[in-house]
Amino acid sequence: AHCRHRLGDHAGAVAACERGLAECPDDAELRFRSGVLLHAAGRLREAAEAYERVLADAGPRYFTSIDRGVTGFK
């Protein structure tokens, strides 16, 4: 999702994020990425809700390479 977003493929990024969340709905990084994508699309209320879900419950870490900042200062 992040790579597609950086390439300017917003629709592809959203689709990748949705697929990931379907498999791992508690993944903090995917929930954070969802917030980033909603923010970029101007859907600010939904983005804030996505960010708040990450902060309320970081969830399990599926990958050890997760950026720890997504559950806090970012």
Side-chain angles (χ1 to χ4, degrees):
H2 176 70
C3 292
R4 289 190 180 273
H5 185 228
R6 293 294 303 230
L7 289 170
D9 180 9
H10 186 77
V14 169
C17 195
E18 288 173 350
R19 284 191 309 273
L21 285 168
E23 293 291 323
C24 303
D26 296 328
D27 184 80
E29 193 156 6
L30 285 170
R31 288 189 285 164
F32 175 79
R33 185 65 42 206
S34 176
V36 169
L37 295 169
L38 289 165
H39 190 177
R43 297 165 55 183
L44 303 182
R45 186 176 314 241
E46 293 167 276
E49 290 170 1
Y51 292 137
E52 287 170 358
R53 279 192 305 272
V54 174
L55 292 172
D57 179 20
R61 292 182 65 211
Y62 292 100
F63 302 102
T64 59
S65 63
I66 186 173
D67 180 346
R68 291 187 182 269
V70 301
T71 59
F73 70 89
K74 283 190 177 180

